[in-house]
Amino acid sequence: MRKKIVAGNWKMHKNAAQTEELLNELIAKIPAETDAQVIVAPTFVNLASAVNQLKSTAIGVSAQNMHQAESGAYTGEISADMLTSVGVKTVILGHSERRAIFHETDALIASKVDTALQHDMTVIFCFGEELKDRQSQNHFNIVENQLKDGLFHLQAKDWEKIVLAYEPVWAIGTGETASPEQAQEMHEFIRETVRKAFGSDVAEDVSILYGGSVKPDNAKEIFSKPDVDGGLIGGAALKAEDFVAIVTAI
Ligand code: 13P
């Protein structure tokens, strides 16, 4: 069933003490009656303690990345088994910062998706066009290709573990957000693209999150659109007050 989800991608922010402090604030402030699934993605080194701190709450924990191999000589990398062994069952893959700064390709991301699914993890799959793509009216093509190259080798049943996060690169960390109409237009296109390949059940059930400068003052309008099932939040996830306001907006 399609779920409402608000996930906070903390990126490379918050040390151990700050992580504990922010989580305590979220535990205290997120209303128990919210019908959204709330997820936080602290950095690798704070995942185990976050899982521990949140174990009697409904707040989930996600990693921000992982390596595609089971194990091996990959200095500095983290495997799916390492994540699940500390209780992390969700991973963000394909974030535009991984694609742009760390040169992750669609093929690499697809292999990370496979590894995550083999470990029964949920994948928050990020994709979205750059400003130049939108300016040249190529944004639908780009998004369709990222989806196809990253996920269309899967079986219909695998989609139970997939959450889509449409994040137009020009809206990330810029303060410039897609308008609710732009978000809806793209989310509808994404759902239609999934429908053509995997059928209506998969398309109706998959949650499609919007990410890119979601703030307390624009969240409600974006989330009100029928194909927007929640948000992947960067900057505003680092302040309890803002993140809680965004969770409440859904
Ligand atoms: P901002 O909310 O800071 O624009 O970041 C969005 C994002 O990249 C979430 O993954």
Side-chain angles (χ1 to χ4, degrees), residues 84-249:
T84 57
S85 73
V86 296
V88 176
K89 301 191 190 92
T90 303
V91 61
I92 297 170
L93 294 176
H95 193 278
S96 64
E97 287 147 19
R98 302 288 326 164
R99 293 175 188 261
I101 306 168
F102 302 100
H103 312 296
E104 293 197 6
T105 61
D106 289 315
L108 176 77
I109 296 159
S111 85
K112 292 187 177 198
V113 169
D114 289 341
T115 304
L117 296 182
Q118 280 155 19
H119 286 263
D120 210 23
M121 297 177 79
T122 295
V123 173
I124 301 176
F125 179 87
C126 302
F127 59 118
E129 82 282 0
E130 293 176 35
L131 184 59
K132 64 174 171 43
D133 306 320
R134 190 162 274 266
Q135 284 169 339
S136 61
Q137 303 289 317
N138 205 24
H139 46 299
F140 290 111
N141 276 339
I142 295 284
V143 161
E144 184 173 356
N145 286 337
Q146 287 174 330
L147 255 183
K148 286 186 171 164
D149 292 346
L151 296 176
F152 277 21
H153 63 288
L154 299 180
Q155 308 288 312
K157 67 169 177 32
D158 296 329
W159 281 77
E160 282 169 24
K161 291 285 188 180
I162 302 291
V163 173
L164 300 177
Y166 168 61
E167 299 204 305
V169 178
W170 48 272
I172 295 179
T174 57
E176 188 176 337
T177 179
S179 68
E181 291 70 32
Q182 284 173 319
Q184 169 58 23
E185 180 186 41
M186 186 57 90
H187 283 223
E188 195 177 343
F189 170 77
I190 291 165
R191 203 177 298 285
E192 211 38 53
T193 306
V194 173
R195 192 188 314 277
K196 280 187 204 139
F198 292 96
S200 281
D201 287 353
V202 170
E204 287 307 316
D205 281 356
V206 69
S207 299
I208 310 177
L209 315 185
Y210 169 79
S213 297
V214 178
K215 307 285 177 210
D217 60 1
N218 61 21
K220 203 172 183 137
E221 224 192 324
I222 295 173
F223 293 163
S224 71
K225 294 294 175 191
D227 287 297
V228 178
D229 305 309
L232 182 56
I233 319 299
L238 300 172
K239 265 182 69 185
E241 207 180 21
D242 288 355
F243 190 64
V244 172
I246 292 169
V247 170
T248 312

